[in-house]
Amino acid sequence: MSRCIDRLKLLPLLLIVFVSSCSQEQESLFAENIPAVSDNNIEYGGVMNYLTDIGTLNINVIANGNYPGINDPSYIKDINTPNFAYCHPDVQYFPNGFNGYKYWMIFTPFLGSIGNLRESERYENPTVVVSNDGLNWSSPKGMTGPLQKAPSMNECFPEKDGAAKYTFWSDVDWTFEKGKFSLYYRGSFIKASALQKRGAKSQNNLKKLKSNAQRTIVRQTSTDGISWTPLEAAYTSNPPYSPKNNHILSPSIVYNGQEYISFEVENNISPNFPGNDPSYIIHRTSKNGLDFSDFQKSKVVNFINKPWVKVNPEYAPWHIQATYVDGYYFLCIAAGEVRKYTSEMLYLAYSKDGLNFKVLAKPFVEQNTYRSCFFPMNTTNETIDFGAIVAYKSGVFKYREFQLNKSKLDACLSK
């Protein structure tokens, strides 16, 4: 009997040790900080031709906020002009066309006529559209509605005990490599069991979806842009992938011919970052596009200059989109007051190693922008021609085209 009493006395102590151990594990979960590169103070010179809009996008689709198995017409909204409600664009451009179209875009209906309240998030579902002029878009033949329907209340869990439930998809991003699209997006507060039910019956999902995570990055692939594989979990907001419950915002993936690289925004809401910046961008790698670096094996991206800080010291990257072309990495950065969960300005950053980025001092847009995208259209030995979809918090997308000179980029990055 005395032995049982002694064991019972030990239980609180063991619990304290366990909690302390978990806390210490959290505090020791750091990404690698790379040595800072000094600025050579060379600015990209010449005429900046990236400030003029060609036109406003019209996306002729409906936004469907229904849960799986439900088809309530009151949750189906026409977001064609003038009912703009567009968010999170990412474009793949094919000069000679792919499956009948030059432009392929993934986006989510949100903002604008739909709004940005909790109820609006049920429309924030990955949606594929196509175009041949960059301005007029519609669903590709053979596809209607979103790629994933909104997660239902039965599929989600609350952020904390006693809190109201809410759940949504967001932050869509894709690559086209090896003859296929690889689409990534984020699920928030969706039960691991619900993701397993929606996803592939794979060892990967059994391994990565053992327990609930506040955020989960998932992937689907397609060889024609219309038929898609079931979702697979890439990584979550649980250790060892992330400090517990970090937001793993706006992950954007590129393929550089050797490996996949994921860039994502981590809010500075824990002791896991060295400075006082409101957010940091993390660089992860993967050989297969599915198994990415754990947090401790990832790297913190270094910005050689931060022009947004001169505008407002509280500004930092909020959402990003990454592109790789001809040995250059580019980041489209929506910067703003991260601690207020928003952005204002749009910048372009460039790098040769994917770790040290210099930012064009003049922003593409100075206010009211959200996660936008740049995409390569044509390259020569001297230049890269880009298209851009500039996304505004009003729910409107604008189209631009611009050109960058490689020798000028190299000069800005030289030591």
Side-chain angles (χ1 to χ4, degrees), residues 91-178:
V91 172
Q92 296 294 326
Y93 177 77
F94 303 91
N96 299 317
F98 176 82
N99 212 358
Y101 303 96
K102 291 184 177 181
Y103 299 81
W104 285 74
M105 179 167 65
I106 187 77
F107 81 106
T108 63
F110 194 56
L111 302 174
S113 63
I114 285 178
N116 60 352
L117 302 175
R118 288 297 181 210
E119 181 69 10
S120 309
E121 290 170 338
R122 64 188 296 166
Y123 297 92
E124 197 175 359
N125 306 314
T127 304
V128 177
V129 289
V130 291
S131 173
N132 275 316
D133 62 7
L135 294 173
N136 298 288
W137 299 75
S138 59
S139 300
K141 187 177 180 179
M143 173 179 280
T144 57
L147 193 57
Q148 287 283 349
K149 282 197 169 184
S152 69
M153 290 298 99
N154 291 331
E155 293 180 291
C156 76
F157 63 95
E159 183 171 5
K160 56 186 178 181
D161 290 344
K165 287 184 178 181
Y166 67 98
T167 179
F168 55 96
W169 305 112
S170 66
D171 297 354
V172 291
D173 184 272
W174 63 4
T175 66
F176 186 85
E177 82 295 339
K178 302 177 182 178

XYZ file of all heavy atoms in Angstrom, residues 91-178:
715
model
N -0.046 31.983 -60.925
C -0.212 31.729 -62.350
C 0.951 30.924 -62.908
O 2.117 31.176 -62.574
C -0.342 33.060 -63.126
C -0.316 32.823 -64.645
C -1.624 33.792 -62.732
N 0.629 29.975 -63.762
C 1.611 29.296 -64.611
C 1.313 29.703 -66.050
O 0.161 29.601 -66.506
C 1.509 27.773 -64.458
C 1.849 27.261 -63.072
C 3.305 27.489 -62.705
O 4.186 27.430 -63.553
N 3.554 27.759 -61.433
N 2.358 30.165 -66.756
C 2.188 30.661 -68.120
C 2.869 29.716 -69.105
O 4.020 29.318 -68.901
C 2.778 32.065 -68.260
C 2.698 32.620 -69.661
C 1.503 33.113 -70.163
C 3.831 32.647 -70.487
C 1.418 33.619 -71.446
C 3.758 33.152 -71.779
C 2.546 33.637 -72.250
O 2.467 34.128 -73.524
N 2.152 29.364 -70.171
C 2.657 28.470 -71.207
C 2.610 29.205 -72.548
O 1.522 29.410 -73.102
C 1.806 27.198 -71.272
C 1.739 26.438 -69.969
C 0.729 26.704 -69.038
C 2.680 25.467 -69.672
C 0.664 26.009 -67.840
C 2.623 24.762 -68.474
C 1.623 25.037 -67.565
N 3.755 29.643 -73.073
C 3.759 30.437 -74.313
C 3.042 29.754 -75.466
O 2.383 30.427 -76.272
C 5.248 30.614 -74.611
C 5.932 30.426 -73.303
C 5.110 29.441 -72.542
N 3.151 28.441 -75.557
C 2.522 27.690 -76.636
C 1.219 27.029 -76.204
O 0.647 26.215 -76.947
C 3.488 26.628 -77.174
C 4.750 27.234 -77.742
O 4.692 28.243 -78.452
N 5.896 26.648 -77.419
N 0.764 27.363 -75.020
C -0.481 26.813 -74.513
C -0.301 25.458 -73.847
O 0.625 24.702 -74.162
N -1.168 25.178 -72.899
C -1.225 23.865 -72.252
C -2.685 23.483 -72.155
O -3.496 24.201 -71.567
C -0.590 23.912 -70.857
C -0.700 22.617 -70.100
C 0.194 21.587 -70.318
C -1.731 22.410 -69.181
C 0.087 20.382 -69.649
C -1.856 21.212 -68.502
C -0.941 20.194 -68.739
N -3.033 22.357 -72.752
C -4.423 21.891 -72.740
C -5.371 22.987 -73.240
O -6.494 23.138 -72.751
C -4.815 21.446 -71.337
C -5.828 20.306 -71.355
O -6.274 19.871 -72.407
N -6.202 19.834 -70.178
N -4.883 23.780 -74.213
C -5.734 24.779 -74.861
C -5.627 26.188 -74.326
O -6.274 27.100 -74.860
N -4.810 26.421 -73.276
C -4.759 27.747 -72.666
C -3.316 28.155 -72.337
O -2.505 27.321 -71.927
C -5.595 27.779 -71.380
C -7.030 27.372 -71.592
C -7.435 26.060 -71.346
C -7.971 28.289 -72.046
C -8.751 25.670 -71.555
C -9.294 27.902 -72.251
C -9.670 26.599 -72.007
O -10.972 26.219 -72.213
N -3.038 29.468 -72.479
C -1.708 29.983 -72.158
C -1.548 30.277 -70.666
O -0.464 30.091 -70.113
C -1.434 31.263 -72.954
C -1.266 31.040 -74.447
C -0.895 32.343 -75.144
C -0.643 32.104 -76.632
N -0.249 33.360 -77.321
N -2.598 30.764 -70.045
C -2.550 31.137 -68.630
C -3.384 30.148 -67.815
O -4.559 29.909 -68.121
C -3.134 32.527 -68.399
C -2.449 33.679 -69.094
C -2.707 33.971 -70.428
C -1.576 34.521 -68.389
C -2.118 35.057 -71.061
C -0.993 35.612 -69.016
C -1.261 35.875 -70.344
O -0.680 36.960 -70.964
N -2.771 29.613 -66.763
C -3.488 28.801 -65.787
C -3.313 29.464 -64.421
O -2.184 29.794 -64.021
C -2.937 27.380 -65.741
C -3.342 26.552 -66.916
C -2.871 26.640 -68.205
C -4.317 25.501 -66.925
N -3.487 25.716 -69.004
C -4.376 24.992 -68.248
C -5.119 24.919 -65.955
C -5.217 23.949 -68.611
C -5.955 23.874 -66.309
C -6.010 23.402 -67.621
N -4.401 29.676 -63.732
C -4.334 30.344 -62.428
C -5.083 29.549 -61.375
O -6.182 29.044 -61.617
C -4.901 31.767 -62.504
C -4.889 32.520 -61.154
S -5.189 34.295 -61.294
C -6.885 34.308 -61.908
N -4.499 29.473 -60.191
C -5.185 28.982 -58.997
C -5.441 30.195 -58.106
O -4.592 31.084 -57.988
C -4.356 27.894 -58.266
C -5.166 27.266 -57.126
C -3.029 28.422 -57.770
C -6.194 26.278 -57.598
N -6.624 30.278 -57.509
C -6.928 31.374 -56.595
C -8.005 30.899 -55.624
O -8.525 29.789 -55.749
C -7.373 32.629 -57.355
C -8.817 32.625 -57.781
C -9.758 33.408 -57.124
C -9.251 31.832 -58.844
C -11.098 33.407 -57.510
C -10.583 31.813 -59.240
C -11.510 32.614 -58.569
N -8.341 31.744 -54.658
C -9.463 31.449 -53.763
C -10.430 32.625 -53.771
O -10.006 33.780 -53.722
C -9.012 31.210 -52.311
O -8.412 32.399 -51.797
C -8.030 30.064 -52.222
N -11.732 32.382 -53.857
C -12.702 33.455 -53.679
C -12.684 33.946 -52.225
O -12.785 33.152 -51.292
C -14.044 32.783 -54.017
C -13.670 31.595 -54.851
C -12.362 31.118 -54.279
N -12.529 35.242 -52.056
C -12.491 35.841 -50.714
C -12.478 37.356 -50.911
O -12.338 37.849 -52.032
C -11.253 35.365 -49.956
C -11.265 35.634 -48.467
C -12.302 35.168 -47.682
C -10.240 36.323 -47.850
C -12.322 35.388 -46.308
C -10.243 36.552 -46.482
C -11.288 36.084 -45.707
N -12.617 38.112 -49.838
C -12.597 39.575 -49.868
C -13.721 40.099 -50.778
O -14.612 39.369 -51.184
C -11.230 40.100 -50.323
C -10.018 39.659 -49.482
C -8.718 40.127 -50.115
C -10.136 40.187 -48.058
N -13.674 41.388 -51.117
C -14.630 41.975 -52.051
C -16.074 41.720 -51.691
O -16.498 41.918 -50.545
N -16.832 41.254 -52.663
C -18.272 41.061 -52.467
C -18.591 39.958 -51.473
O -19.688 39.912 -50.915
C -18.948 40.752 -53.809
O -18.463 39.531 -54.346
N -17.629 39.053 -51.247
C -17.841 37.978 -50.274
C -17.525 38.459 -48.862
O -18.144 38.052 -47.887
C -16.981 36.750 -50.636
C -17.614 36.026 -51.835
C -16.839 35.794 -49.459
C -16.828 34.836 -52.315
N -16.536 39.349 -48.738
C -16.152 39.876 -47.431
C -14.977 39.136 -46.838
O -14.364 38.278 -47.481
N -14.648 39.467 -45.601
C -13.525 38.810 -44.923
C -13.863 38.455 -43.481
O -13.002 38.443 -42.612
C -12.278 39.691 -44.972
C -12.470 41.040 -44.289
O -13.587 41.390 -43.906
N -11.395 41.799 -44.151
N -15.128 38.146 -43.224
C -15.552 37.705 -41.907
C -15.444 36.192 -41.807
O -15.160 35.503 -42.776
C -16.989 38.159 -41.640
C -17.230 39.677 -41.717
C -18.719 39.981 -41.566
C -16.403 40.433 -40.676
N -15.679 35.640 -40.631
C -15.583 34.193 -40.441
C -16.492 33.442 -41.404
O -16.105 32.430 -41.975
C -15.945 33.835 -38.994
C -14.912 34.237 -37.964
C -13.605 33.521 -38.178
N -12.616 33.872 -37.180
C -11.309 33.884 -37.385
N -10.828 33.603 -38.592
N -10.467 34.180 -36.428
N -17.678 33.946 -41.637
C -18.600 33.278 -42.545
C -18.063 33.289 -43.979
O -18.341 32.387 -44.768
C -19.973 33.967 -42.494
C -21.037 33.349 -43.386
C -21.494 31.972 -42.918
O -21.124 31.552 -41.795
O -22.225 31.308 -43.673
N -17.244 34.305 -44.306
C -16.703 34.414 -45.663
C -15.692 33.318 -45.966
O -15.482 32.964 -47.132
C -16.027 35.781 -45.847
O -16.872 36.836 -45.463
N -15.062 32.777 -44.917
C -13.985 31.812 -45.133
C -14.473 30.500 -45.751
O -13.677 29.756 -46.313
C -13.254 31.548 -43.812
C -12.443 32.754 -43.353
C -11.908 32.612 -41.942
O -12.490 31.810 -41.164
O -10.927 33.288 -41.603
N -15.759 30.228 -45.680
C -16.262 28.992 -46.264
C -16.226 29.033 -47.799
O -16.398 28.016 -48.460
C -17.668 28.679 -45.765
C -18.733 29.672 -46.156
C -20.053 29.379 -45.439
N -20.606 28.083 -45.818
C -21.576 27.467 -45.156
N -22.084 28.030 -44.064
N -22.041 26.300 -45.573
N -16.002 30.224 -48.384
C -15.860 30.354 -49.841
C -14.396 30.295 -50.290
O -14.121 30.253 -51.493
C -16.462 31.680 -50.312
C -17.941 31.799 -50.066
C -18.429 32.378 -48.901
C -18.857 31.317 -50.999
C -19.794 32.485 -48.661
C -20.221 31.421 -50.774
C -20.685 32.003 -49.599
O -22.035 32.101 -49.367
N -13.482 30.276 -49.331
C -12.048 30.424 -49.627
C -11.446 29.079 -50.056
O -10.508 28.564 -49.446
C -11.339 30.974 -48.379
C -9.980 31.560 -48.639
C -9.390 32.203 -47.389
O -10.043 32.212 -46.332
O -8.255 32.697 -47.475
N -11.974 28.544 -51.136
C -11.621 27.194 -51.567
C -10.816 27.238 -52.874
O -11.088 28.066 -53.746
C -12.905 26.381 -51.763
C -13.783 26.407 -50.529
O -13.295 26.218 -49.419
N -15.071 26.657 -50.703
N -9.814 26.361 -53.030
C -8.948 26.404 -54.222
C -9.743 26.235 -55.505
O -10.505 25.276 -55.662
C -7.975 25.247 -53.990
C -8.598 24.383 -52.947
C -9.444 25.272 -52.110
N -9.539 27.184 -56.430
C -10.310 27.233 -57.666
C -9.367 27.430 -58.849
O -8.525 28.328 -58.828
C -11.331 28.387 -57.607
O -12.170 28.222 -56.454
C -12.186 28.436 -58.856
N -9.506 26.612 -59.879
C -8.657 26.671 -61.076
C -9.402 27.401 -62.193
O -10.557 27.083 -62.481
C -8.273 25.257 -61.557
C -7.459 25.326 -62.852
C -7.489 24.516 -60.470
N -8.717 28.385 -62.816
C -9.285 29.084 -63.969
C -8.208 29.253 -65.037
O -7.012 29.151 -64.750
C -9.880 30.457 -63.587
C -11.153 30.291 -62.778
C -8.867 31.308 -62.823
N -8.638 29.530 -66.275
C -7.717 29.604 -67.415
C -8.050 30.814 -68.281
O -9.158 31.368 -68.221
C -7.788 28.323 -68.267
C -7.211 27.134 -67.521
C -9.232 28.035 -68.699
N -7.048 31.208 -69.110
C -7.228 32.370 -69.971
C -6.246 32.294 -71.125
O -5.214 31.622 -71.040
C -6.983 33.656 -69.163
O -6.994 34.803 -69.998
N -6.547 33.034 -72.179
C -5.596 33.182 -73.277
C -5.150 34.624 -73.484
O -4.319 34.901 -74.357
C -6.183 32.622 -74.580
C -5.967 31.125 -74.704
O -4.884 30.611 -74.423
N -7.018 30.407 -75.101
N -5.693 35.555 -72.668
C -5.272 36.953 -72.788
C -4.846 37.565 -71.452
O -4.411 38.719 -71.405
C -6.368 37.806 -73.425
C -7.658 37.860 -72.599
O -7.672 37.352 -71.452
O -8.657 38.407 -73.105
N -4.951 36.812 -70.361
C -4.553 37.324 -69.054
C -5.585 38.189 -68.378
O -5.398 38.581 -67.225
N -6.676 38.498 -69.058
C -7.697 39.384 -68.497
C -9.033 38.693 -68.294
O -9.723 38.950 -67.307
C -7.885 40.607 -69.405
C -6.689 41.566 -69.503
C -6.954 42.635 -70.570
C -6.402 42.208 -68.165
N -9.411 37.832 -69.223
C -10.708 37.152 -69.156
C -10.483 35.679 -68.829
O -9.805 34.963 -69.563
C -11.437 37.308 -70.488
C -11.721 38.754 -70.813
O -12.583 39.376 -70.198
N -10.998 39.320 -71.780
N -11.087 35.242 -67.717
C -10.811 33.918 -67.181
C -12.107 33.147 -66.966
O -13.159 33.730 -66.682
C -10.086 34.042 -65.840
C -8.767 34.747 -65.915
C -8.557 36.090 -66.063
C -7.475 34.146 -65.834
N -7.206 36.357 -66.074
C -6.521 35.178 -65.941
C -7.032 32.829 -65.680
C -5.153 34.941 -65.888
C -5.665 32.584 -65.628
C -4.740 33.635 -65.732
N -11.997 31.832 -67.061
C -13.142 30.960 -66.780
C -12.615 29.587 -66.377
O -11.411 29.324 -66.453
C -14.048 30.836 -68.011
O -13.318 30.309 -69.106
N -13.507 28.714 -65.977
C -13.096 27.357 -65.618
C -12.648 26.605 -66.866
O -13.233 26.775 -67.939
C -14.253 26.602 -64.972
O -14.696 27.251 -63.800
N -11.603 25.765 -66.751
C -11.224 24.949 -67.908
C -12.328 23.937 -68.220
O -13.075 23.533 -67.331
C -9.947 24.247 -67.451
C -10.031 24.242 -65.964
C -10.762 25.487 -65.575
N -12.414 23.559 -69.492
C -13.437 22.602 -69.903
C -13.282 21.309 -69.113
O -12.191 20.749 -69.010
C -13.311 22.317 -71.401
C -14.434 21.470 -71.959
C -14.296 21.292 -73.461
C -15.428 20.444 -74.017
N -15.313 20.276 -75.496
N -14.359 20.854 -68.519
C -14.329 19.624 -67.731
C -14.220 19.852 -66.240
O -14.212 18.893 -65.469
N -14.148 21.125 -65.825
C -14.043 21.409 -64.388
C -15.018 22.513 -64.025
O -15.087 23.542 -64.697
C -12.619 21.827 -64.017
C -12.465 22.305 -62.580
S -10.757 22.770 -62.159
C -10.064 21.161 -61.865
N -15.783 22.319 -62.965
C -16.661 23.348 -62.432
C -16.518 23.374 -60.915
O -16.315 22.343 -60.289
C -18.135 23.085 -62.782
O -18.505 21.793 -62.292
C -18.357 23.151 -64.286
N -16.643 24.562 -60.350
C -16.598 24.688 -58.898
C -15.200 24.538 -58.336
O -14.230 24.310 -59.064
N -15.069 24.648 -57.029
C -13.750 24.579 -56.388
C -13.182 23.162 -56.386
O -13.923 22.178 -56.470
C -14.024 25.063 -54.971
C -15.452 24.705 -54.720
C -16.135 24.873 -56.043
N -11.884 23.077 -56.255
C -11.199 21.787 -56.204
C -11.511 21.059 -54.899
O -11.579 19.834 -54.858
C -9.695 22.021 -56.344
C -8.805 20.828 -56.612
C -9.236 20.097 -57.863
C -7.352 21.292 -56.760
N -11.654 21.817 -53.823
C -12.075 21.264 -52.528
C -13.252 22.076 -52.013
O -13.239 23.303 -52.075
C -10.941 21.340 -51.500
C -9.817 20.362 -51.698
C -10.188 18.952 -51.244
O -11.205 18.739 -50.602
N -9.343 17.993 -51.596
N -14.258 21.408 -51.494
C -15.352 22.123 -50.839
C -14.930 22.554 -49.436
O -13.978 22.028 -48.861
C -16.604 21.241 -50.775
C -17.351 21.169 -52.102
C -18.775 20.652 -51.903
C -19.598 20.845 -53.174
N -21.006 20.431 -52.972
N -15.657 23.506 -48.906
C -15.333 24.045 -47.588
C -15.386 22.954 -46.517
O -16.272 22.093 -46.544
C -16.320 25.154 -47.231
N -14.458 22.966 -45.567
C -14.543 22.023 -44.446
C -15.791 22.317 -43.607
O -16.117 23.480 -43.357
C -13.262 22.302 -43.649
C -12.379 23.086 -44.564
C -13.280 23.842 -45.479
N -16.480 21.284 -43.194
C -17.688 21.463 -42.392
C -17.332 21.602 -40.919
O -16.208 21.319 -40.491
C -18.617 20.264 -42.581
O -18.053 19.106 -41.979
N -18.336 22.000 -40.125
C -18.117 22.135 -38.688
C -17.803 20.786 -38.040
O -17.100 20.723 -37.028
C -19.344 22.765 -38.021
C -19.567 24.231 -38.364
S -18.205 25.324 -37.820
C -17.274 25.525 -39.351
N -18.283 19.714 -38.615
C -17.967 18.384 -38.084
C -16.528 17.972 -38.366
O -16.017 17.041 -37.744
C -18.920 17.340 -38.683
C -20.339 17.498 -38.188
O -20.573 17.961 -37.072
N -21.305 17.127 -39.022
N -15.898 18.643 -39.330
C -14.524 18.305 -39.695
C -13.494 19.144 -38.948
O -12.297 18.944 -39.135
C -14.320 18.506 -41.209
C -15.104 17.545 -42.080
C -14.859 17.797 -43.554
O -15.301 18.851 -44.046
O -14.222 16.947 -44.209
N -13.929 20.072 -38.115
C -12.972 21.005 -37.515
C -12.939 20.886 -36.001
O -13.771 20.227 -35.375
C -13.301 22.431 -37.932
S -14.719 23.170 -37.091
N -11.959 21.536 -35.408
C -11.828 21.589 -33.954
C -11.536 23.029 -33.548
O -10.993 23.812 -34.343
C -10.719 20.649 -33.466
C -9.337 21.000 -33.960
C -8.474 21.776 -33.196
C -8.879 20.540 -35.202
C -7.210 22.097 -33.649
C -7.616 20.855 -35.657
C -6.765 21.638 -34.874
N -11.871 23.439 -32.320
C -11.659 24.832 -31.910
C -10.191 25.129 -31.643
O -9.401 24.240 -31.332
C -12.491 24.941 -30.626
C -12.509 23.554 -30.079
C -12.528 22.636 -31.276
N -9.832 26.408 -31.774
C -8.450 26.828 -31.524
C -8.042 26.553 -30.082
O -6.908 26.201 -29.800
C -8.288 28.312 -31.852
C -6.870 28.837 -31.708
C -6.704 30.232 -32.254
O -7.709 30.843 -32.657
O -5.560 30.735 -32.265
N -8.980 26.712 -29.158
C -8.733 26.389 -27.754
C -10.050 26.010 -27.105
O -11.132 26.283 -27.662
C -8.085 27.568 -27.017
C -8.862 28.868 -27.094
C -8.080 30.011 -26.468
C -8.842 31.338 -26.596
N -8.067 32.456 -26.005
N -9.972 25.375 -25.969
C -11.182 24.915 -25.290
C -12.151 26.071 -25.057
O -11.762 27.135 -24.574
C -10.823 24.279 -23.936
C -10.107 22.948 -24.101
O -10.167 22.391 -25.212
O -9.474 22.494 -23.128
N -13.398 25.849 -25.421
C -14.436 26.852 -25.205
C -14.564 27.867 -26.315
O -15.520 28.649 -26.323
N -13.613 27.872 -27.265
C -13.665 28.841 -28.368
C -14.638 28.357 -29.442
O -14.899 27.165 -29.579
C -12.276 29.039 -28.964
N -15.162 29.313 -30.203
C -16.042 28.955 -31.316
C -15.235 28.258 -32.407
O -14.059 28.544 -32.615
C -16.701 30.218 -31.872
N -15.884 27.343 -33.110
C -15.210 26.625 -34.196
C -15.236 27.450 -35.478
O -16.216 28.114 -35.795
C -15.917 25.296 -34.469
C -15.697 24.220 -33.426
C -16.379 22.929 -33.874
C -16.151 21.803 -32.901
N -16.801 20.556 -33.376
N -14.140 27.437 -36.184
C -14.106 27.951 -37.549
C -12.988 27.235 -38.280
O -12.011 26.786 -37.687
C -13.906 29.470 -37.586
C -12.557 29.954 -37.088
C -11.534 30.247 -37.992
C -12.309 30.136 -35.730
C -10.300 30.694 -37.552
C -11.092 30.584 -35.286
C -10.080 30.871 -36.199
O -8.866 31.302 -35.758
N -13.130 27.095 -39.600
C -12.172 26.311 -40.365
C -12.210 26.752 -41.815
O -13.239 27.228 -42.299
C -12.483 24.813 -40.246
O -11.535 24.071 -41.020
C -13.875 24.497 -40.752
N -11.096 26.603 -42.522
C -11.057 27.077 -43.904
C -9.786 26.595 -44.602
O -8.818 26.195 -43.977
C -11.095 28.617 -43.944
C -10.015 29.285 -43.117
C -8.822 29.705 -43.699
C -10.178 29.499 -41.750
C -7.833 30.311 -42.947
C -9.195 30.117 -40.992
C -8.014 30.521 -41.591
N -9.821 26.643 -45.931
C -8.639 26.499 -46.768
C -8.114 27.906 -47.083
O -8.870 28.875 -47.018
C -8.976 25.807 -48.091
C -9.658 24.483 -47.990
C -10.939 24.191 -48.359
C -9.100 23.250 -47.513
N -11.223 22.868 -48.134
C -10.105 22.258 -47.624
C -7.853 22.879 -47.006
C -9.909 20.927 -47.244
C -7.647 21.565 -46.638
C -8.655 20.608 -46.757
N -6.859 28.004 -47.471
C -6.322 29.309 -47.884
C -4.950 29.136 -48.516
O -4.402 28.028 -48.581
C -6.218 30.266 -46.682
O -5.251 29.791 -45.748
N -4.385 30.252 -48.974
C -2.973 30.353 -49.376
C -2.579 29.325 -50.438
O -1.616 28.570 -50.272
C -2.069 30.213 -48.146
C -2.282 31.339 -47.150
O -3.036 32.270 -47.459
O -1.682 31.291 -46.071
N -3.311 29.308 -51.540
C -3.016 28.360 -52.616
C -1.754 28.770 -53.366
O -1.435 29.952 -53.492
C -4.200 28.258 -53.597
C -5.382 27.589 -52.940
C -4.591 29.638 -54.143
N -1.028 27.784 -53.875
C 0.221 28.032 -54.603
C 0.534 26.788 -55.424
O 0.292 25.669 -54.960
C 1.353 28.302 -53.601
C 2.654 28.673 -54.279
O 3.449 27.766 -54.616
O 2.894 29.883 -54.472
N 1.081 26.975 -56.639
C 1.400 25.781 -57.411
C 2.653 25.942 -58.249
O 3.130 27.049 -58.494
C 0.229 25.311 -58.248
C -0.305 26.215 -59.333
C 0.179 27.428 -59.747
C -1.456 25.936 -60.149
N -0.581 27.919 -60.760
C -1.593 27.031 -61.037
C -2.350 24.891 -60.229
C -2.612 27.099 -61.980
C -3.367 24.956 -61.177
C -3.499 26.047 -62.031
N 3.192 24.785 -58.655
C 4.325 24.713 -59.569
C 3.890 23.874 -60.771
O 2.870 23.170 -60.723
C 5.541 24.028 -58.927
O 5.220 22.646 -58.666
C 5.935 24.699 -57.621
N 4.666 23.965 -61.847
C 4.499 23.026 -62.948
C 5.880 22.490 -63.256
O 6.780 23.237 -63.669
C 3.896 23.694 -64.189
C 3.581 22.699 -65.282
C 2.383 22.015 -65.282
C 4.499 22.423 -66.288
C 2.084 21.084 -66.280
C 4.222 21.504 -67.284
C 3.005 20.829 -67.277
N 6.091 21.196 -63.007
C 7.397 20.582 -63.195
C 7.206 19.123 -63.577
O 6.226 18.490 -63.190
C 8.256 20.715 -61.921
C 8.025 19.701 -60.820
C 6.659 19.766 -60.167
O 5.986 20.805 -60.249
O 6.265 18.757 -59.547
N 8.115 18.633 -64.375
C 8.090 17.217 -64.785
C 6.737 16.820 -65.375
O 6.235 15.711 -65.158
C 8.434 16.311 -63.593
C 9.783 16.604 -62.955
C 10.019 15.728 -61.742
C 11.333 16.043 -61.057
N 11.561 15.216 -59.842
